[in-house]
Amino acid sequence: MSAPPPVDAAPIRVLVVEDDPLAADAHALYVRRVPGFAVAGVVRSRADASQFLKRTAVDLLLLDLFLPDGHGLQLVRSLRAAGHTADVIAVTSARDLAVVREGVSLGVVQYVLKPFTFSTLRDRLVRYADFRAAAGEASGQDEVDRALSALRAPQPAALPKGLSLDTLQTITEALRAAGADGLSAGAAA
């Protein structure tokens, strides 16, 4: 990981798009704790995000995908169609890999699954800042690869406190085996 940006560098302006007030406040607090980033605003819906972006330029959206007035990727589609170039980090509980692929095709640069820790989001933000800082012309493929690799985590994200990888894998397998019928917490235990 790199050092924080120089003090005189303009902060990366972030719009938090999250319908859950508690989660929105936590995400904004996390962003404020990372040097080089500033919260430009917090909105609770696609419509509010669209209106905000008509008035205020931002560099990055922290975007929940499940919003009360539609899917977050619909917002990204409409932003791209309108010429907005702000980058997007999806911050969501959506685990469908088809949705992840769709997000990547629309320009989502990171995907953070809820629940997550501050260190997980901080890591993604710092990596994003490293990616943005790459400038000039690449001398070759290795420089292009290095710039793109700044967005990718070299190791798996930290699990929430009290959850081990073995337990997570066991529960995931049990839930998949249960299929559409689901599984109660007692049965999973």
Side-chain angles (χ1 to χ4, degrees):
M1 248 184 281
S2 70
V7 175
D8 59 345
I12 295 171
R13 299 160 301 178
V14 180
L15 175 62
V16 175
V17 184
E18 169 64 62
D19 63 317
D20 179 290
L22 189 60
D25 290 346
H27 298 169
L29 177 67
Y30 285 178
V31 169
R32 287 184 187 105
R33 289 177 59 192
V34 180
F37 288 84
V39 176
V42 177
V43 297
R44 307 266 195 270
S45 68
R46 274 181 53 206
D48 291 346
S50 293
Q51 289 302 313
F52 185 93
L53 291 167
K54 286 178 185 175
R55 300 183 313 269
T56 308
V58 302
D59 303 304
L60 178 66
L61 277 74
L62 282 188
L63 178 65
D64 184 16
L65 297 186
F66 299 123
L67 298 169
D69 56 349
H71 201 277
L73 291 181
Q74 292 172 327
L75 171 65
V76 177
R77 257 189 227 89
S78 66
L79 292 176
R80 297 299 182 241
H84 287 281
T85 59
D87 290 316
V88 177
I89 295 178
V91 178
T92 182
S93 58
R95 287 167 162 70
D96 183 346
L97 292 177
V99 172
V100 174
R101 283 190 298 276
E102 182 181 0
V104 169
S105 74
L106 292 171
V108 172
V109 297
Q110 293 274 359
Y111 201 96
V112 180
L113 289 176
K114 294 177 185 175
F116 57 87
T117 63
F118 167 68
S119 63
T120 297
L121 184 60
R122 180 188 59 219
D123 175 67
R124 296 313 192 279
L125 292 174
V126 169
R127 288 178 176 287
Y128 172 74
D130 288 347
F131 172 73
R132 277 182 55 102
E137 187 169 322
S139 63
Q141 184 66 49
D142 61 325
E143 279 191 56
V144 171
D145 292 343
R146 199 171 21 259
L148 290 174
S149 72
L151 292 171
R152 305 296 166 237
Q155 58 199 15
L159 293 172
K161 184 177 178 180
L163 182 62
S164 72
L165 185 57
D166 289 339
T167 301
L168 176 62
Q169 289 173 337
T170 301
I171 296 297
T172 301
E173 290 169 9
L175 288 171
R176 286 190 178 136
D181 294 333
L183 191 64
S184 71

